[in-house]
Amino acid sequence: MCKVIKIVYEKTFTDSYFPPLTTVPSVHGSPIQSRDILKILGNVSCWHDLDNTEYDCWPVEQPNEQNMIDCGGLEMAWVLRPPEKVTSGQEFNVTYSLTVSDYFYENAVRRSILPHGYISNASKAKAFCEEADCPLEGKDATEDNCCVYHANIHSCPLEFMVSQTICGPWVPDDGKIVTHTVSQAGKMTHKYWSSKVVLINLGITSLIAHIKVGHLQAALEAKSTVLSTKVCGDGICNPDESCAVCPNDCGPCPLPVPVKLAIGLPLALFCSGFIFAVVWFQYHRQKMLWDESWIIQVNNLPEKEFQSVISSAASFETNNGPHPHHCSELKANTVLTCCTLSESFIQTGTYDGRRVAIKQIKKKNFVLSKAIRKEVQQVRNDDLEEFTDKLNKKQTYIYTPPEEVLGNSSSGTPAGDVYSYAMILLEIASRCDPFPDDAYLKDVTWRPPLPELTPGKSDQDCPSQADYSELIERCWAHNPMMRPSFEQIKKSLEKMNPNRVSPVDMMMNLMEKYSKHLEAIVAERTQDLLEEKQKTDRLLYSMLPKPVADNLRQGHTAEAQNYSSATVYFSDIVGFTAISGTSTPQQVVMLLNKLYTKFDDIIDNHDVYKVETIGDAYMVVSGVPKENGIRHVAEIANMALNLVAVCHSFKIPHLADAQLQIRAGLHSGPVVAGVVGTKMPRYCLFGDTVNTASRMESTSEALRIQCSSSAAELLQELGGYILTCRGTLNVKGKGEMRTWWLQGKADGTCRKNPL
């Protein structure tokens, strides 16, 4: 980086190497005329970094920081960049590309970059650079026998850069170039250039790809950090080592936070779940122990219920003898428990139609102790086991055929399985328990009623209800010999199934239909989406150039670009204010829409881009954003002639007798183009060229096209246009300017007009 102590500009009349009209960018980016000489007072301490850009250009003679020039169509780029980090002594390859446009050859001839006497035009310059063979050895190549007569790689370690030293593509007498590769040479069609590089000095090194073409030289820069070749195991943790690379020198690496979370989180969840389960089970265990919903106080019982309990207890005493806890001694603090218990060890009674256990506690102040609660809990659990046994017994009886219950047949027969299958068919049809009460225990031949048949619209996907009920009756027939076999049951079910397919096949068919329907919907929606996208693209491309719009859609930043040569066109309607004053707003809009629709149809036939319309002003540019050499001035000239011609036949819709007239102006020069704004972004042009083109239009005349000198020179260079000198004109903000009238295109030969 450079630190300039003091910079002053001194104006002299001595011409430098470059011809007139050449501008050279200064250190700070401001344009300096080639006739200006930069004088630096004081010390400049820096190393050259190519003006903070990827590549730059200089003249071969007297190159320095203040003498950089426009590359004029020449571009350099890394194809295989130097690595960001490399070990000292390690060999690696670098590749860079060198490309030029046709504008480069035109610029090279105009600025005498290729100093060969026989190269007098761009075609010969292009033939020399792309067809002429170069010497086999790079050291034998010169600017006279080879286009790219010098190409190599320089390496410049930054620690060797001292005051007033430049590390660049040139080698000044007092400069210090540490190393460079062998020079190569070749044609301009030799697009890719490769070299092998070895860096030794530690630290940051600037690698510079350097080429020479005639009197022009260019350089492309990249930086690499050269690391020490020391290996792990020396007991020293070097700056370029880490715990991951050298744990013996730098110690083991701590576990990353994601790894700690991956290990600790599952373990914590497991421990938390285990603790929660233990607490949950303990809580429910204690809840059952301390639950008092089963307690019934005797003093809360009606007299009738109380006498019923006493009589039951007395009956027990009469039949079984005296009990340790006599029923006649029941007091207000007697407790009844709602459970069924064996009568061999505890007194029982009847409460609410149920058999209950009675325990007499002779205490004035009754408190349920933990021991008593455990005893009651054991009683309640025994009752639950009895209920479970009863339920299992019921389930067994439901699916057991009567002949097996009566002991007339052995268990596990095919006929018995058919009876069990009948109960399953009944459960499927009724969606409920086929034996809701204990009726099956009273009569083994008892059968539950079949579901009632409801008349209604038949379902094509379900079997017949009558056939289904008939199959159930056949399967639970009292006589086992009358029950069908499973093969017969299968045939009956297939006959009842209208689609004659299994449930799995039916499900697959439905899924296939749904899949095809979904595919059709997706295809239809996709087509709608494509049509909407095309509409959006057309709208977007009508507002912005296609390359710019594509970059914005991909999320790339739209940076402003410089264009060294372009032609800008302006036109407006003569007397538009008067027309607007005598017309309604709707009529003005209809007029402009009709006129600009015709204009838009015309410009589609030319290599131009419509920038914008503001009121009656119409702005068009060529050479932006697509560069086309110097053809931009011809495209704008042809378009302007066509636009003026269409005005002769244009009829104003609401003023049939009025003649529409426009005045036009155009100017050629450099411009800057870019996207402005984020909401409704616009592609705009900036620079003095735009202002000058606007002045050419405002000082023009009705149905005439005024050209600046720069545009007229390019048109005469191309030939085929009729230009008439208007003379010197005082232009606001520009001073005296010589302008020209563009009258038309010549037939056959170009009619020259002296400049």
Side-chain angles (χ1 to χ4, degrees), residues 18 45 60-61 94 98 114-115 122 139 172 314 394 405 435 466 495-496 501 505 515 526 579 586 665 670 686 729 754:
F18 299 100
S45 176
V60 172
E61 300 175 0
V94 296
L98 174 64
L114 298 175
K139 60 184 180 61
K394 177 180 178 181
V405 175
F435 296 95
K495 183 179 179 181
M496 285 186 287
V501 294
D505 294 337
S515 176
T526 303
I579 296 175
Q586 291 79 5
F686 304 92
L729 188 68

Side-chain angles (χ1 to χ4, degrees), residues 440-606:
Y440 67 96
L441 296 176
K442 300 177 182 178
D443 184 7
V444 295
T445 62
W446 182 85
R447 300 287 183 271
L450 294 174
E452 297 182 1
L453 301 180
T454 56
K457 185 178 180 180
S458 61
D459 191 346
Q460 297 298 326
D461 294 330
C462 296
S464 170
Q465 296 183 9
D467 295 342
Y468 195 84
S469 299
E470 181 184 358
L471 178 62
I472 295 175
E473 291 178 346
R474 290 171 55 200
C475 290
W476 69 22
H478 295 291
N479 187 356
M481 302 300 296
M482 300 297 295
R483 299 170 191 164
S485 64
F486 277 105
E487 186 66 27
Q488 294 172 337
I489 294 174
K490 181 180 178 182
K491 292 181 180 180
S492 299
L493 291 175
E494 291 178 352
K495 183 179 179 181
M496 285 186 287
N497 190 351
N499 296 322
R500 304 270 179 116
V501 294
S502 66
V504 177
D505 294 337
M506 184 184 304
M507 180 182 65
M508 295 301 295
N509 292 336
L510 292 176
M511 290 181 65
E512 184 177 359
K513 292 180 181 178
Y514 177 75
S515 176
K516 292 181 179 180
H517 180 63
L518 185 61
E519 289 177 359
I521 294 177
V522 170
E524 182 180 356
R525 297 294 185 270
T526 303
Q527 183 63 31
D528 294 342
L529 181 61
L530 291 176
E531 293 177 357
E532 292 299 325
K533 182 178 180 299
Q534 292 174 356
K535 294 179 182 178
T536 304
D537 290 344
R538 287 194 295 268
L539 178 61
L540 183 61
Y541 293 153
S542 66
M543 299 174 61
L544 297 172
K546 187 176 184 302
V548 177
D550 291 338
N551 288 338
L552 291 177
R553 285 172 50 181
Q554 295 173 4
H556 298 162
T557 303
E559 298 181 355
Q561 294 186 0
N562 293 299
Y563 296 89
S564 59
S565 182
T567 300
V568 180
Y569 165 90
F570 276 95
S571 68
D572 70 348
I573 300 174
V574 178
F576 181 72
T577 304
I579 296 175
S580 301
T582 59
S583 307
T584 64
Q586 291 79 5
Q587 290 173 339
V588 174
V589 172
M590 291 178 60
L591 165 63
L592 294 178
N593 182 59
K594 181 179 180 182
L595 177 64
Y596 290 156
T597 300
K598 286 185 174 294
F599 281 10
D600 293 343
D601 293 338
I602 292 174
I603 68 174
D604 286 341
N605 300 321
H606 303 276

